[in-house]
Amino acid sequence: MNRIDWTGTQPPKATEKGIWGWMLFDWAAQPFFTVVTTFIFGPYFVSRLTADPVAAQTMWSNMATISSVIIAILSPILGSIADQSGARKPWIAFFAVIKIVSLCCLWFAAPGSPIIYPVIFMILASISAEFSIVFNDSMMPRLVGKDEVGKLSNTAWGLGYLGGMIVLIAVVVLLAGSPESGKTILGLDPLFGLDPHTGEDARVTGPISAVWYLIFILPMFFFTPDARKGLPFGFAVRFGLRELRNTLGELKTRRGILSFLIARMIYQDGVNGLLILGGAFAAGMFGWATIEIGIYGIILNIVAILGCLIAGRVDRGIGSKVTVIISLTMLLLATIGIISTGPGYTFFGLMPLSTADSGGLFGTMAEKAYILYGLLIGLAFGPVQASSRSYLARSVSLEEAGRYFGIYALSGRATSFMATLLFSIVTYLTGSAHLGMSTLILFLAGGLVLLIRTPYPADRA
């Protein structure tokens, strides 16, 4: 693989094992987002943990808001410190411990138990996961040249979806039981004697994601090259904070990068909202249980893998910017489709649908329409994030990668509480989750308009 020098000095050569070790981080991390946040534990939290789904959905949104604020404040600080201390792996290991312990504690979130504890554990797991991503992403520019980062980023993202899908399939087929019959989709008793009536089939996703993460981050630690060790920790903190202050001031003169970060800040809010709230929204509207939500997630992940593979070639051929624009357009169309659908109709009632239930999974026409819109989301939400990552990687040097990826994480979280908070406020005031979800359009469309006006690469005048 041809590796290009970005700054005048050849970056450390990454072996194929090193590159695969780095990509396996996404494989290791994704099940948390797939089975815990989006498709299994999140919908369980909303629909079954308490007797009030609307209040639980608001609490889930508030959890995401609190996590986002903490991530937004600390990510650029940690990224700048990492630039000065050099090595990223010790930081990833530190946050891995917090994430693994927090996920294991989700097992105790039984129906009727105090809701505050799973909220706390989800906050700790979420911020640990995102901080680890900051340090892992900042390693990417050292592995391959600028001409390859788009393909590398999308391939790693697709690999992550594959890992998430494998865990999701295992949960749906082997662990998730019907609340009525207690049997899995294969007609068998759930493994390990899990009781779906007490939510054990959903609660177990926390420990499973923790063990999966622990096993598959190890190749990154063993094989992927890290930056050389820099300043001692105390000095790294002082110099890192100073460099962060200088970098934030420098953004005034690097208008292209600033424009990209602001655009990404806006549209990523909408993306995060879809990921966090989409599964819970479907569970609330159609009454989907773990099996339905899980199969919906499997469908999305299969399509997402295909989307990332296609986007890797598109990104390499015509660039990250066009890839992101296409993806955002698809997400906009899908979001409009979702909020326009309800039992018996789609397109805001302009297209009536039969309310007859044919039996089995997704038996109504409205559910089938929701699945169709979900396919668009599946195709787009991987590439929009993977190519945004490569967009920045093509726009900064090796020496500044840590702090700029910290600011990148900030741009993905700085106002993400606005999307979930706005959803909570609108849903609470109107009693309609449809109107709450419609607020995501503001973020997706606003970010798209600004991105169109942004240069590519972002450091180009």
Side-chain angles (χ1 to χ4, degrees):
M1 184 180 293
N2 182 33
R3 295 180 175 83
I4 297 176
D5 178 11
W6 295 17
T7 61
T9 58
Q10 183 71 18
K13 182 177 181 180
T15 63
E16 292 302 314
K17 283 185 178 180
I19 292 173
W20 274 100
W22 182 86
M23 290 196 297
L24 280 174
F25 177 91
D26 282 352
W27 166 280
Q30 186 59 37
F32 164 65
F33 300 104
T34 300
V35 299
V36 176
T37 301
T38 305
F39 293 114
I40 305 296
F41 187 83
Y44 160 76
F45 182 100
V46 168
S47 61
R48 298 169 61 192
L49 187 58
T50 71
D52 187 349
V54 173
Q57 192 158 333
T58 302
M59 180 66 79
W60 185 257
S61 178
N62 291 339
M63 176 278 298
T65 300
I66 294 170
S67 303
S68 296
V69 171
I70 297 172
I71 292 164
I73 293 172
L74 294 183
S75 290
I77 296 174
L78 293 175
S80 293
I81 294 172
D83 275 340
Q84 304 304 315
S85 62
R88 271 64 168 170
K89 292 180 183 180
W91 292 96
I92 296 175
F94 173 74
F95 288 114
V97 173
I98 299 174
K99 178 180 176 180
I100 289 168
V101 171
S102 299
L103 288 176
C104 288
C105 289
L106 294 180
W107 169 255
F108 301 103
S113 63
I115 198 171
I116 186 63
Y117 296 117
V119 169
I120 292 173
F121 294 136
M122 279 299 302
I123 290 173
L124 290 174
S126 298
I127 62 176
S128 299
E130 292 292 343
F131 289 157
S132 298
I133 289 171
V134 170
F135 298 115
N136 182 70
D137 285 354
S138 68
M139 296 170 69
M140 179 173 62
R142 296 182 177 274
L143 304 179
V144 297
K146 281 189 177 183
D147 57 335
E148 295 288 342
V149 291
K151 180 180 179 181
L152 174 66
S153 184
N154 274 281
T155 302
W157 217 282
L159 193 64
Y161 285 133
L162 179 60
M165 184 182 67
I166 289 173
V167 175
L168 183 58
I169 290 174
V171 171
V172 171
V173 173
L174 302 175
L175 304 178
S178 167
E180 290 78 23
S181 66
K183 301 293 185 179
T184 70
I185 196 172
L186 299 179
L188 305 174
D189 291 328
L191 289 183
F192 315 121
L194 296 176
D195 184 0
H197 297 94
T198 59
E200 290 182 349
D201 53 349
R203 290 151 49 196
V204 76
T205 58
I208 287 175
S209 299
V211 173
W212 182 278
Y213 186 66
L214 174 62
I215 293 173
F216 290 109
I217 59 172
L218 293 179
M220 182 270 295
F221 283 103
F222 291 148
F223 303 119
T224 304
D226 201 354
R228 296 185 181 88
K229 188 174 181 179
L231 298 174
F233 182 76
F235 287 102
V237 171
R238 289 197 293 273
F239 280 97
L241 292 175
R242 187 180 68 183
E243 283 300 305
L244 174 60
R245 185 171 59 251
N246 293 339
T247 301
L248 292 174
E250 179 184 278
L251 281 173
K252 297 177 182 178
T253 61
R254 303 182 76 172
R255 304 299 289 272
I257 293 180
L258 178 61
S259 178
F260 166 71
L261 291 173
I262 294 175
R264 195 245 177 187
M265 177 177 67
I266 297 171
Y267 69 68
Q268 189 63 38
D269 286 359
V271 175
N272 289 339
L274 279 176
L275 296 179
I276 294 168
L277 302 170
F281 177 71
M285 179 165 58
F286 298 117
W288 286 354
T290 299
I291 290 177
E292 287 89 351
I293 288 289
I295 292 177
Y296 175 67
I298 291 170
I299 294 171
L300 261 63
N301 276 270
I302 291 174
V303 176
I305 295 169
L306 175 62
C308 286
L309 293 176
I310 295 172
R313 295 181 177 274
V314 174
D315 190 303
R316 187 177 184 183
I318 57 179
S320 303
K321 179 177 179 178
V322 176
T323 307
V324 175
I325 289 174
I326 293 172
S327 300
L328 285 174
T329 303
M330 294 170 65
L331 289 175
L332 265 173
L333 295 174
T335 305
I336 293 171
I338 284 174
I339 65 173
S340 72
T341 300
Y345 66 88
T346 189
F347 294 136
F348 304 102
L350 297 177
M351 182 181 292
L353 300 173
S354 172
T355 57
D357 192 333
S358 62
L361 296 171
F362 315 123
T364 67
M365 291 301 298
E367 290 174 279
K368 291 180 173 62
Y370 197 97
I371 295 291
L372 184 62
Y373 298 132
L375 296 180
L376 278 179
I377 296 176
L379 282 172
F381 73 74
V384 75
Q385 297 175 92
S387 289
S388 294
R389 182 167 64 176
S390 60
Y391 198 133
L392 180 64
R394 286 187 168 107
S395 305
V396 298
S397 67
L398 289 175
E399 289 75 13
E400 60 190 9
R403 58 184 181 271
Y404 270 101
F405 270 104
I407 297 173
Y408 176 80
L410 166 64
S411 74
R413 291 289 183 173
T415 59
S416 61
F417 68 92
M418 289 298 296
T420 51
L421 179 61
L422 193 57
F423 169 86
S424 298
I425 292 173
V426 172
T427 301
Y428 175 77
L429 293 177
T430 66
S432 171
H434 281 78
L435 292 177
M437 287 293 286
S438 68
T439 59
L440 300 180
I441 293 176
L442 301 176
F443 297 95
L444 294 171
L448 174 60
V449 170
L450 184 55
L451 184 71
I452 291 173
R453 299 171 59 86
T454 300
Y456 177 74
D459 58 346
R460 182 169 59 84

